[in-house]
Amino acid sequence: MPVFYGREIASRLMLGTAQYPSPAVLAEAFRRSGAGIATVSVRREAGGDRAGQDFWELIRDLDVALLPNTAGCHSVREAVTTAQMARELFDTNWIKLEVIGHGDTLQPDPFGLVEAAQALTEDGFEVFPYCTEDLVLCSRLVEVGCQVLMPWGAPIGTGLGLNNLYGLRSLRAHFPDLPLVVDAGLGLPSQAAQAIELGYDAVLLNTAVAKAGDPAAMAEGFARAVEAGALAHGADPMEPRDMAAPSTPVLGMPFK
Amino acid sequence: MSDITILGGGVAGLAMAAELSGRGAAVTVVDPAGPVGAHACSWWAGGMLAPECEGVLTEPEVVRQGRKAAEWWAGQGAEVVRNGTLVVALGRDQRELASFARRAEGVASLDRDGLKALEPHLAEHFDRALFIESEAHLDPRASLTGLQARLEGRGVRFVTEPSPSGQVIDCRGLAARDALPDLRGVKGEMLVVRCPDVTLSRPVRLLHPRFPLYIVPRPDHVFMLGATQIESGERGRASLRSVMELMNAAYALHPAFGEAELLEIGVDARPAFPDNQPRLRQGADRLYANGLFRHGFLLAPTLARMAADWLLDNRTPEVWFEDHCER
């Protein structure tokens, strides 16, 4: 099971907590999925005087590890301030760092990301950067102290799956010992299974579950897919080959 | 004759007063803020009686009970417009229409001609829409003040100082949080604009993965644009981000909204329980009716009817009931 900053988590599934029909449905989705980590947004839209407290209490009641995020932040300063607020609110050094560089695709800003990750790491945070699968960016993030990387599969909320298999595979090969999480872009359990089959340690998703007609059933579907992916990865899959290979030789036709 | 005191004169309290007084009880409504107005969360409502649309995002019971709302409000003298609801999506979000159509009942698909026949102005910019013919809408403020006047005429007393006598029903919305620990606020921001260049005869919903919007027409080319849904108990402070998102979505719906006159920016927090469904909760000294969330006009009639069944006829409410005080 994945270990993030020295803490082992009992599931390879991480779920976001936004956009569910109700907190009760959200709780049921967590229960059926066995997800080990919940991300929670601390955007200041919730207002001062801890006006979002009631919802955050419901998230705490899920009894999973909390990973606050800086969702919706478009600048380094905004992200750093939000992270500090999150640390105070949730009493954790963990922060999922989002610095959005493009308003429409919500693509991460790689330059701001490195700068913010460095500032936060120096300030004692344990940073989970939401990044692209760019190898150079990921190397920089590791250099400034990130001990986990969270490349996207596809843009947030698209459900397109793993857009760049080559890039994700190459990242895994270059960082064999670093926890890697596919974050964002997953729409179906099969795509989550695929990420884990590639050797990724976990997947993080939100929309695919929250916006499903039956979020709890979809959450369970993802949980099972992730388990299937982990079994497959651990079982040393066969190499694909172009030629059909009968598992039993056909007598009298040795070369067919 | 039963003597009943209702705390709170918003949509829940007024519906409760209407149902109970209609069935012969002597009712007093206590609201320290005076006649229904901006202090009530329901003052900021859209006034859509749209159970099928709401069903896409909520439990089937809300749909079942919500289907009774239009008739109830019409029976109370409210001007209920039964023109249905239109649902549209922008170019690249067309797939949202398909999933909406799968998840809602009673949905018809319209092409441009079909849309043009209903809303010519909308057909200038959309060539597809969904139409839910059975739905209705009303003007929340006119309906609330109208209902209060009607109740006064019927002998319901409205006072600002509490002097509870008889049975007490607590309809104070978010203010009842002191007694209902699982009640939370869900902030909503809305706009009221006047736009002479646009005519709509029914509510229009714009599906969008990030910025969903609904527009409800009111008389004289006035439109209500709503509404954000933020997990926060804050009852004030509309943010520039929210207002901008609403305006942007309206502009995308029809560019003429770019020239609309901004009349009002409203904000309040909806009272909600964790499953976003309402409750009748019998406490030791009172019955709580709360948690109407974004379904004040849609579900207040059901809560009121069930409360009257319970208090006047000793009939146990069939849904959303919790007895915290076995008697």
Side-chain angles (χ1 to χ4, degrees):
Chain A
M1 284 297 163
V3 178
F4 302 115
Y5 292 99
R7 181 168 177 188
E8 187 172 4
I9 300 295
S11 165
R12 296 184 187 277
L13 185 60
M14 304 158 69
L15 288 180
T17 54
Q19 300 181 311
Y20 288 80
S22 72
V25 173
L26 185 162
E28 178 65 6
F30 269 83
R31 195 188 63 73
R32 274 179 69 179
S33 71
I37 292 180
T39 61
V40 51
S41 166
V42 283
R43 243 169 68 164
R44 276 164 294 170
E45 64 181 16
D49 299 329
R50 308 200 163 191
Q53 198 68 37
D54 289 337
F55 181 69
W56 295 330
E57 282 303 326
L58 292 166
I59 304 291
R60 278 199 195 91
D61 289 346
L62 297 173
D63 206 22
V64 297
L66 292 189
L67 176 58
N69 68 33
T70 63
C73 291
H74 287 253
S75 72
V76 173
R77 198 165 67 90
E78 211 183 345
V80 168
T81 311
T82 306
Q84 286 161 345
M85 204 168 93
R87 176 157 67 182
E88 198 179 307
L89 280 170
F90 294 102
D91 197 28
T92 174
N93 285 327
W94 281 14
I95 188 76
K96 176 187 158 182
L97 180 61
E98 278 187 33
V99 184
I100 299 304
H102 191 267
D104 191 47
T105 61
L106 302 180
Q107 176 161 349
D109 167 2
F111 311 99
L113 195 60
V114 174
E115 193 186 331
Q118 180 160 18
L120 289 171
T121 305
E122 284 168 3
D123 192 15
F125 281 94
E126 295 171 332
V127 178
F128 295 61
Y130 166 59
C131 52
T132 61
E133 74 284 6
D134 186 282
L135 189 54
V136 180
L137 163 63
C138 286
S139 306
R140 293 277 190 279
L141 288 168
V142 172
E143 277 168 30
V144 300
C146 294
Q147 294 175 30
V148 49
L149 294 170
M150 303 214 294
W152 64 357
I156 296 175
T158 57
L160 290 172
L162 308 183
N163 263 355
N164 181 0
L165 268 182
Y166 167 80
L168 290 171
R169 200 180 277 132
S170 145
L171 202 61
R172 180 71 284 179
H174 279 87
F175 296 104
D177 302 318
L178 199 70
L180 295 181
V181 180
V182 167
D183 176 5
L186 300 181
L188 284 169
S190 52
Q191 298 160 349
Q194 193 183 16
I196 305 294
E197 285 162 13
L198 288 181
Y200 275 67
D201 296 274
V203 294
L204 168 50
L205 52 117
N206 188 345
T207 311
V209 167
K211 293 288 196 183
D214 184 344
M218 188 59 88
E220 188 180 332
F222 271 99
R224 294 195 196 183
V226 161
E227 212 181 311
L231 282 171
H233 182 69
D236 189 11
M238 63 164 283
E239 291 299 329
R241 54 187 292 172
D242 289 335
M243 222 173 84
S247 50
T248 312
V250 181
L251 205 63
M253 301 170 75
F255 304 110
K256 288 281 169 79
Chain B
M1 192 160 71
S2 297
D3 206 3
I4 289 172
T5 301
I6 294 169
L7 307 180
V11 70
L14 290 176
M16 201 65 78
E19 193 70 26
L20 287 159
S21 64
R23 284 156 72 163
V27 176
T28 304
V29 177
V30 183
D31 198 321
V36 64
H39 57 277
C41 184
S42 39
W43 196 252
W44 307 101
M48 291 183 295
L49 303 173
E52 316 303 332
C53 286
E54 291 301 308
V56 171
L57 274 176
T58 187
E59 306 297 324
E61 195 62 48
V62 172
V63 182
R64 272 195 291 276
Q65 300 301 331
R67 283 175 183 152
K68 306 167 187 168
E71 202 182 320
W72 191 91
W73 283 103
Q76 298 298 329
E79 202 170 308
V80 175
V81 185
R82 296 169 186 266
N83 281 348
T85 304
L86 279 171
V87 181
V88 295
L90 299 170
R92 63 179 182 180
D93 305 323
Q94 287 297 310
R95 286 182 183 184
E96 303 270 330
L97 283 183
S99 89
F100 191 96
R102 279 199 310 273
R103 293 176 188 182
E105 280 184 43
V107 178
S109 206
L110 300 181
D111 59 10
R112 191 186 285 271
D113 288 340
L115 181 56
K116 200 172 173 182
L118 291 176
E119 299 288 6
H121 282 167
L122 215 52
E124 293 163 11
H125 299 276
F126 292 89
D127 52 17
R128 268 192 72 198
L130 303 176
F131 182 43
I132 299 96
E133 195 176 359
S134 60
E135 297 187 332
H137 70 282
L138 50 70
D139 179 337
R141 296 177 188 179
S143 303
L144 291 171
T145 45
L147 181 55
Q148 175 156 355
R150 183 184 167 100
L151 293 173
E152 280 166 337
R154 194 195 275 173
V156 173
R157 291 176 58 229
F158 284 83
V159 299
T160 53
E161 296 287 330
S163 57
S165 65
Q167 290 173 300
V168 176
I169 309 178
D170 189 326
C171 302
R172 291 179 296 141
L174 210 49
R177 263 169 85 187
D178 49 0
L180 303 171
D182 50 345
L183 194 69
R184 74 187 199 287
V186 182
K187 181 176 171 180
E189 292 136 306
M190 56 81 95
L191 305 175
V192 181
V193 304
R194 180 179 286 116
C195 188
D197 297 337
V198 177
T199 302
L200 294 175
S201 310
R202 52 187 59 74
V204 178
R205 293 185 180 223
L206 178 67
L207 304 181
H208 189 283
R210 275 185 260 161
F211 314 119
L213 169 85
Y214 56 77
I215 292 193
V216 189
R218 306 258 167 88
D220 304 320
H221 296 280
V222 171
F223 299 88
M224 183 272 190
L225 278 51
T228 58
Q229 203 163 298
I230 298 169
E231 287 290 347
S232 165
E234 208 176 34
R235 300 192 63 181
R237 199 187 68 90
S239 77
L240 192 134
R241 182 200 302 272
S242 296
V243 171
M244 192 177 68
E245 285 168 0
L246 289 173
M247 290 176 170
N248 242 341
Y251 183 69
L253 191 77
H254 199 295
F257 279 112
E259 297 302 320
E261 177 190 358
L262 183 55
L263 299 178
E264 205 176 315
I265 298 176
V267 53
D268 207 332
R270 316 162 177 95
F273 289 109
D275 61 1
N276 290 347
Q277 295 183 72
R279 293 285 185 289
L280 284 178
R281 183 176 291 171
Q282 182 62 60
D285 63 341
R286 63 184 68 178
L287 176 68
Y288 294 93
N290 214 320
L292 284 163
F293 184 47
R294 49 183 275 161
H295 301 130
F297 284 85
L298 196 64
L299 299 180
T302 291
L303 280 196
R305 177 186 52 74
M306 295 194 306
D309 285 351
W310 173 240
L311 296 179
L312 303 181
D313 303 335
N314 210 19
R315 255 187 299 158
T316 306
E318 63 267 27
V319 286
W320 300 325
F321 180 62
E322 294 169 4
D323 197 345
H324 287 204
C325 174
E326 299 294 340
R327 293 185 291 187

